[in-house]
Amino acid sequence: MSLTAPAAGARKPRTQITLSVVRALRLSPHLVRVVLGGAGFDEFVSNDKTDKYVKMLFTDVDGHQVTRTYTVREVNEVDKTISIDFVVHGDEGLAGPWAAAAKPGDMAIVSGPGGGYAPDPTADWHLFAGDESALPAIASALDALPSTARGVAFIETYTEADAIELRAPEGVEVRWLLRRDAHAGKTTLLADAVADHDWAEGRVQVFAHGERGAMKQLRDVFKERGVTRTQLSLSGYWAFGRTEDRFQAEKREPVGVIEPISD
Ligand SMILES: Cc1cc2nc3c(=O)[nH]c(=O)nc-3n(C[C@H](O)[C@H](O)[C@H](O)COP(=O)(O)OP(=O)(O)OC[C@H]3O[C@@H](n4cnc5c(N)ncnc54)[C@H](O)[C@@H]3O)c2cc1C
């Protein structure tokens, strides 16, 4: 369960960049920011997507190299660092526990970034919905919105202590949905809140990401509301009871498919 250099002959993701932990800071009980830098930063070619993400390389308990996907919350060209906000979700998994224990000097190997979404300045309003795994991407999108933007962001998390401060334009309301003792990935909080919301007039742009089951519920709400495919960025970021390896593999099985919405 460690983060290691690629084994000789292992299948390499596109471009691997070796970085090291500069510092790690707790943003909330369930969120740790890890700031990565080092000589490898110069190989990191950023893009203009607010949901830009990297694949991080880990070695699992069986010695297999696996990847975990993380949003790049911030690229700091002056300090030559990238920041990633990790959900710490207990002892299970590779990336969460790695981030919880991260200390200066630890190595991190990433590839990317990919990405697919940026706020559309011509949208009449914006709707964001996600759990804390999508919080970094939602926070980056809120940062990038023009000051005149209007909309609402629904973010599901554990308790008030996890509701971190976000910069958002005055016309964009941030609503925290607290699951408290319920298990992450086992609530209907996001779909209920979006369905009950008083939708504004005009063309909405939607960014919805998080636990797969919750995203399936949201997909049905968006369909009912007449949101079209081009207005929608929606995907599962993880799935309850699945490692990321299984979650990614299941995208080729019926359980892993979030039925697309037509135009
Ligand atoms: C494009 C993209 C961007 C993402 N960005 C981020 C990000 O910025 N920050 C972030 O924290 N995550 C992000 N994720 C989600 C992250 O990749 C998964 O949560 C991943 O499974 C974590 O790996 P792990 O090794 O900690 O746990 P795994 O080994 O994959 O899973 C172990 C167990 O933990 C559970 N688990 C996994 N994630 C969570 C969670 N968030 N809450 C509760 N239980 C969980 C699994 O269901 C499984 O039972 C992103 C995913 C995608 C696809």
Side-chain angles (χ1 to χ4, degrees), residues 68-71 85 87 89 93-96 133 136 237 239 241-242 244:
R68 296 290 184 262
T69 313
Y70 281 88
T71 305
D85 295 349
V87 177
H89 52 85
L94 300 171
S133 69
Y237 270 9
R242 270 82 167 168
E244 180 166 346

Side-chain angles (χ1 to χ4, degrees), residues 4-123:
T4 58
R11 197 164 66 102
K12 280 186 172 183
R14 269 175 307 164
T15 313
Q16 289 184 342
I17 303 169
T18 303
L19 299 168
S20 58
V21 174
V22 176
R23 60 184 176 279
L25 48 146
R26 243 315 130 173
L27 300 183
S28 76
H30 293 93
L31 209 60
V32 166
R33 172 162 300 170
V34 179
V35 181
L36 299 169
F41 177 84
D42 291 329
E43 294 166 57
F44 183 82
V45 182
S46 193
N47 63 41
D48 59 2
K49 305 299 182 191
T50 54
D51 67 343
K52 59 177 146 302
Y53 62 83
V54 289
K55 299 272 176 187
M56 286 188 73
L57 192 67
F58 290 87
T59 301
D60 71 11
V61 280
D62 301 317
H64 297 127
Q65 292 193 342
V66 295
T67 58
R68 296 290 184 262
T69 313
Y70 281 88
T71 305
V72 177
R73 173 65 182 92
E74 189 180 80
V75 181
N76 188 322
E77 300 283 352
V78 177
D79 292 352
K80 296 191 171 226
T81 56
I82 64 171
S83 296
I84 296 179
D85 295 349
F86 293 80
V87 177
V88 286
H89 52 85
D91 298 334
E92 281 186 321
L94 300 171
W98 176 83
K103 56 183 189 318
D106 289 354
M107 183 172 61
I109 297 169
V110 306
S111 62
Y117 166 93
D120 174 0
T122 70

